[in-house]
């Protein structure tokens, strides 16, 4: 098999049979002619299957070492489609430091349909055993988590789930199949907010699901078609266009993020840096074992919460914006933005407090990024000093 860099660069470029187009065409059609009664080209109606989307779906299934891929209109649409696999009375065990939108979907919507969830540190086998109930049917893992970058040993925990007979679902948004392939480590389902690194340019909203095994793949196809939160042909094309450069982008993201994390580690205004590429990170060894590199986002804490507002005001090259994984650097404030829907006591338990900032490091030149951050920190510090003297 070709190396992953080659497979990424070649997505869609060898499959268009009519013209030989190197970039796979956008088939903007919802209906497809039947050659004869009882015959089909393989495409009937675009919600069920659509040519441009299918190239993307086959590509992600192959990249993640799964059996089937499903493209959805957003990461949340993908999660909703997966959660619809469960039934009233089913229970899920879920990573504690969870993407805020996933928490909201479980607590505000799935709970009304009788699907309940318990939140634990998914790297703690005792905690998993403690949370396990006779009606537990699924395990939902993020690794690294966002924003605190907690790491779960996927092989260990997916083996535990398999023994219990429960479906393991891994949100692989932060690492992408270029760096980590959960199905190879024992997961049953992988989900992506492809809006982030896979798309990579802050310009397309999309979600992807990959399933392993015949039964799960067939069930997911029924759910995907029945729910209908599918990705359109234009966005499918745009996503593939982004994925072609994933390998190059991830390498630069990691390089830049590592350099900035080390810069912040030495900085007098910073108390903590949460990045698994640092040897001081508690998940460093597991991360090294199960993935071939690190993501481009990390979080850090300033020593004084009053620095947050002026830092966000003084960054210029780095944008104060939500989202992550694009070529442009973005910084956000999880406590009031991405994680506002998570109750204060859970947020404080895991450490998402008012001193925490999250940085999605882009692919700009490292010198410009460090200069921008350094200036913002100095300016924020000067404002605070000025305020305390007056
Ligand atoms: C953004 C994100 C989601 C949700 O995806 P959308 O594309 O915004 O709907 C889910 N999980 C993680 C880890 C994310 O970062």
């Amino acid at each position: 098999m070709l190396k992953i860099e080659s497979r990424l660069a070649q997505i869609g470029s060898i499959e268009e049979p009519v013209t030989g187009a190197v970039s796979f065409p956008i088939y903007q059609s919802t209906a497809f002619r039947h050659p004869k009664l009882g015959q089909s080209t393989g495409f009937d109606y675009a919600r069920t299957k659509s040519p441009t989307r299918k190239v993307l779906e086959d590509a992600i299934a192959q990249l993640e070492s799964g059996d089937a891929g499903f493209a959805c209109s957003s990461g949340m649409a993908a999660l909703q489609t997966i959660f619809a696999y469960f039934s009233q009375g089913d229970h899920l065990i879920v990573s504690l430091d969870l993407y805020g939108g996933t928490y909201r979907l479980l607590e505000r919507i799935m709970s009304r349909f009788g699907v309940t969830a318990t939140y634990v540190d998914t790297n703690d086998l005792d905690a998993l055993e403690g949370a396990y109930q006779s009606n537990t049917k699924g395990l939902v893992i993020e690794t690294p988590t966002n924003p605190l970058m907690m790491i779960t040993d996927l092989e260990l925990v997916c083996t535990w789930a398999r023994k219990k007979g429960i479906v393991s679902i891994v949100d692989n948004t932060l690492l992408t199949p270029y760096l980590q392939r959960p199905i190879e480590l024992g997961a049953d389902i992988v989900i992506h907010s492809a809006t982030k690194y896979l798309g990579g340019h802050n310009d397309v909203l999309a979600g992807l699901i990959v399933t392993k095994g015949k039964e799960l793949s067939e069930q997911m196809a029924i759910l995907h078609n029945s729910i209908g939160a599918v990705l359109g042909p234009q966005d499918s094309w745009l996503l593939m266009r982004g994925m072609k450069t994933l390998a190059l982008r991830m390498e630069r993201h990691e390089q830049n993020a590592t350099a900035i994390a080390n810069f912040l580690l030495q900085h007098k205004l910073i108390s903590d840096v949460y990045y698994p590429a640092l040897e001081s990170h508690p998940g460093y060894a597991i991360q090294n074992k199960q993935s071939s590199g690190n993501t481009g986002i990390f979080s850090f804490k300033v020593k004084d919460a009053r620095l947050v507002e002026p830092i966000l005001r003084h960054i210029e090259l780095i944008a104060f914006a939500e989202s992550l994984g694009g070529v442009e650097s973005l910084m956000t404030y999880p406590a009031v933005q991405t994680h506002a829907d998570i109750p204060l006591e859970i947020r404080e338990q895991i450490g998402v407090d008012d001193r925490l900032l999250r940085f999605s490091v882009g692919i700009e030149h490292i010198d410009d990024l460090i200069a921008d951050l350094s200036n913002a920190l100095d300016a924020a510090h000067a404002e605070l000093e000025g305020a305390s003297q007056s």
Side-chain angles (χ1 to χ4, degrees), residues 74-76 79 99 102 142 146 171 173 193 195-196 205-206 324:
S74 68
M76 292 319 302
L79 282 158
Y99 177 69
T102 312
E142 284 183 20
N146 161 18
D171 186 330
T173 298
S193 169
T195 312
K196 314 294 169 53
L205 188 73
L324 61 98

Side-chain angles (χ1 to χ4, degrees), residues 204-269:
V204 57
L205 188 73
L208 294 171
I209 302 168
V210 178
T211 49
K212 181 73 186 168
K214 191 162 179 281
E215 195 269 343
L216 262 183
S217 301
E218 284 172 3
Q219 287 302 314
M220 205 57 69
I222 293 169
L223 291 165
H224 189 235
N225 183 41
S226 302
I227 292 170
V230 301
L231 195 63
Q234 308 261 356
D235 283 346
S236 294
W237 182 88
L238 201 51
L239 181 51
M240 287 193 274
R241 149 79 167 249
M243 286 166 69
K244 285 169 178 278
T245 55
L246 181 70
L248 290 173
R249 286 187 285 107
M250 291 317 288
E251 276 165 28
R252 176 63 82 89
H253 282 301
E254 180 182 15
Q255 250 174 33
N256 280 355
T258 305
I260 296 171
N262 279 302
F263 163 77
L264 288 174
L265 214 52
Q266 315 287 330
H267 201 284
K268 65 179 192 298
L269 300 178

Side-chain angles (χ1 to χ4, degrees), residues 385-390:
E385 294 277 282
S388 64
Q389 272 160 20
S390 62

